[in-house]
Amino acid sequence: MSKKPSPVGQIGDYEIKQLKIFKVVADCGGFSAAETELNISRSTISIHISNLESRLNLILCRRGRSGFALTEEGAVVYEATVKLLGELEDFRNTINHLDIQLSGSLTILFSDTISLDHRASIPAVIRKFSKLAQEVYLTAEVARMTEIERMVMQEEADIGFIPFHRELDGLEYEHIYTDICYLYASKDNPLAQLSDEELTDEIIDGFPVTYAGIKTQERINGHLANMNLKATAYNYESRMALLLSSRFIGYLPENYAKPYVDSGELVAIAPSRRFYHLEIMAITKKTNALNKVRSLFIKTMRDYYRKHNV
């Protein structure tokens, strides 16, 4: 190690603030990327990191022409920071949940269009939950599946809604509904002009495909294994734009594609054999920590689904 660390002693609010800034910089991969997230200037971020390094008598990161990187000491401090901030959040939640009136916050993350899918009934669940917990501050965001998993695991979010693509030990999964995904092309796509007999696997597999660009279940990957992968579009909206260009084909959930199919803008390609099922799950972290807000939301969600047979 390049320096001998100084005894830390007491940690106050100022040090906590510096550690939070350090964590965001590390998560973003540099000062520039952290500016937007922190809403402070790069020079201010640099001052905070330098002060933290002086406080700890450690060099936490390298920044320069070669890019940003944590030092060996910085990686250790980062892991300790994640643990410390998580424990502080647990303490805050525990104190908040001692009140008869629920307070605190609830963060819900959604992948793609799940938040407005009628089968998830999210507006109805939130309406019922908000009547029971009027003082709780709600945050609802859309994010990538892997980011949702990470944030729920690190307790930066309370619950996430994602298509099931893998099972992680630290998470609990609850089935919400099942999508069926078909292969689609625009009405102007050459494949849309062919009959089922003419749509051989060789012809389909040779046409440019847009897909999510992430590794998922083997049975889903099997549908893409021999296809001509030419474009990445993680979100359904951006994938739809590529499909409507007529230059690509790609898989979409039937429910999302239905308005475009009904209007004649999209057609399913070889639907009898080019389809797969996609389970939509609610994920939470496996934990024994008391969190009445999260527990109430999950109970409200389960009660609603049970009553309405979602």
Side-chain angles (χ1 to χ4, degrees):
M1 292 188 180
S2 56
K3 288 187 178 182
K4 182 179 179 181
S6 301
V8 175
Q10 291 187 344
I11 297 178
D13 290 342
Y14 184 65
E15 286 81 7
I16 295 296
K17 178 181 180 180
Q18 290 178 328
L19 289 170
K20 286 181 177 179
I21 291 173
F22 168 64
K23 180 181 180 299
V24 172
V25 170
D27 288 339
C28 292
F31 290 16
S32 297
E35 282 185 286
T36 302
E37 184 74 19
L38 292 168
N39 197 28
I40 57 178
S41 68
R42 194 185 320 179
S43 60
T44 302
I45 295 173
S46 181
I47 291 171
H48 280 296
I49 297 300
S50 295
N51 288 344
L52 179 61
E53 290 179 324
S54 297
R55 173 75 167 83
L56 301 177
N57 195 31
L58 292 171
I59 297 175
L60 300 177
C61 54
R62 308 284 184 188
R63 53 267 197 194
R65 293 182 179 179
S66 59
F68 174 89
L70 291 178
T71 62
E72 181 181 348
E73 295 92 338
V76 174
V77 172
Y78 174 83
E79 295 299 329
T81 298
V82 170
K83 183 178 179 181
L84 172 62
L85 296 180
E87 289 173 346
L88 287 173
E89 182 66 14
D90 286 344
F91 176 79
R92 184 185 67 82
N93 284 331
T94 298
I95 299 303
N96 285 338
H97 299 150
L98 293 177
D99 296 332
I100 295 176
Q101 174 66 50
L102 286 179
S103 61
S105 62
L106 182 79
T107 298
I108 313 170
L109 300 180
F110 302 96
S111 176
D112 239 311
T113 59
I114 296 174
S115 60
L116 288 179
D117 193 296
H118 71 276
R119 293 166 294 180
S121 302
I122 297 299
V125 172
I126 290 177
R127 180 168 59 248
K128 185 175 180 182
F129 169 80
S130 296
K131 288 181 180 179
L132 299 171
Q134 297 183 23
E135 298 302 316
V136 171
Y137 188 93
L138 279 172
T139 299
E141 299 286 352
V142 175
R144 295 174 69 92
M145 290 189 293
T146 51
E147 182 68 2
I148 293 173
E149 289 172 327
R150 181 193 68 78
M151 292 182 69
V152 172
M153 286 282 282
Q154 295 185 5
E155 297 188 289
E156 296 174 18
D158 297 288
I159 185 167
F161 292 84
I162 65 172
F164 180 75
H165 67 120
R166 61 180 175 178
E167 188 166 352
L168 300 178
D169 289 339
L171 296 177
E172 293 183 344
Y173 297 80
E174 184 157 345
H175 181 268
I176 305 299
Y177 62 87
T178 299
D179 260 327
I180 182 169
C181 297
Y182 289 104
L183 183 64
Y184 291 100
S186 78
K187 61 181 177 60
D188 299 320
N189 190 295
L191 298 190
Q193 318 306 320
L194 302 180
S195 67
D196 287 342
E197 292 76 17
E198 293 172 314
L199 282 169
T200 64
D201 287 337
E202 183 179 6
I203 289 176
I204 295 173
D205 289 341
F207 202 88
V209 173
T210 176
Y211 73 117
I214 61 172
K215 185 176 181 180
T216 183
Q217 302 175 59
E218 288 302 321
R219 60 183 176 81
I220 296 176
N221 286 336
H223 284 271
L224 298 169
N226 298 316
M227 300 189 79
N228 184 18
L229 306 181
K230 285 295 185 179
T232 298
Y234 175 79
N235 293 307
Y236 295 153
E237 184 177 341
S238 56
R239 203 177 311 167
M240 179 66 77
L242 295 185
L243 295 186
L244 294 177
S245 76
S246 79
R247 302 299 299 170
F248 302 91
I249 58 176
Y251 284 94
L252 285 172
E254 179 185 33
N255 192 66
Y256 181 77
K258 187 177 187 303
Y260 297 87
V261 173
D262 291 345
S263 68
E265 295 175 87
L266 283 186
V267 296
I269 301 298
S272 63
R273 65 183 190 276
R274 294 288 178 141
F275 70 91
Y276 59 82
H277 291 91
L278 192 63
E279 291 76 28
I280 305 303
M281 299 284 188
I283 62 170
T284 53
K285 183 178 180 180
K286 291 180 181 177
T287 177
N288 294 322
L290 178 66
N291 190 322
K292 288 184 179 179
V293 173
R294 180 173 58 200
S295 297
L296 176 61
F297 183 85
I298 294 172
K299 182 180 185 302
T300 303
M301 179 184 72
R302 288 172 177 168
D303 289 347
Y304 184 90
Y305 292 162
R306 191 180 301 114
K307 181 178 180 180
H308 294 85
N309 297 315
V310 174

